[in-house]
Amino acid sequence: MARKGVKRSIQVWGCDLEDGTKITNNDEGIVSVIGIGDKSVTVTDINHNERIVEGARWLSYVPRQN
């Protein structure tokens, strides 16, 4: 049974985007990728600056298994 309410964000290894591209933590300057419940993507760079990737909407992601 699915939970109702606000979908939480999840830290992931990478996301496949609607436009066919990918964002991963191995990309140049990116150390963290977060998939948000509204399908947006947030990344953290090597200087610890967190930003929403403009126009990026994820289709699927690889969850972190820590």
Side-chain angles (χ1 to χ4, degrees):
M1 185 162 99
R3 289 189 287 167
K4 296 185 186 225
V6 178
K7 294 181 181 179
R8 65 184 180 90
S9 61
I10 184 169
Q11 194 164 20
V12 297
W13 291 119
C15 292
D16 294 320
L17 305 179
E18 288 179 344
D19 64 1
T21 61
K22 294 181 179 187
I23 296 176
T24 70
N25 64 325
N26 291 326
D27 291 346
E28 182 73 28
I30 297 177
V31 295
S32 178
V33 181
I34 299 171
I36 313 274
D38 66 358
K39 300 289 186 176
S40 61
V41 179
T42 300
V43 296
T44 305
D45 66 17
I46 57 176
N47 297 317
H48 304 286
N49 297 319
E50 191 173 293
R51 66 179 172 86
I52 295 175
V53 180
E54 294 295 322
R57 307 229 346 116
W58 61 266
L59 289 175
S60 64
Y61 58 83
V62 180
R64 293 181 95 158
Q65 302 287 327
N66 292 347

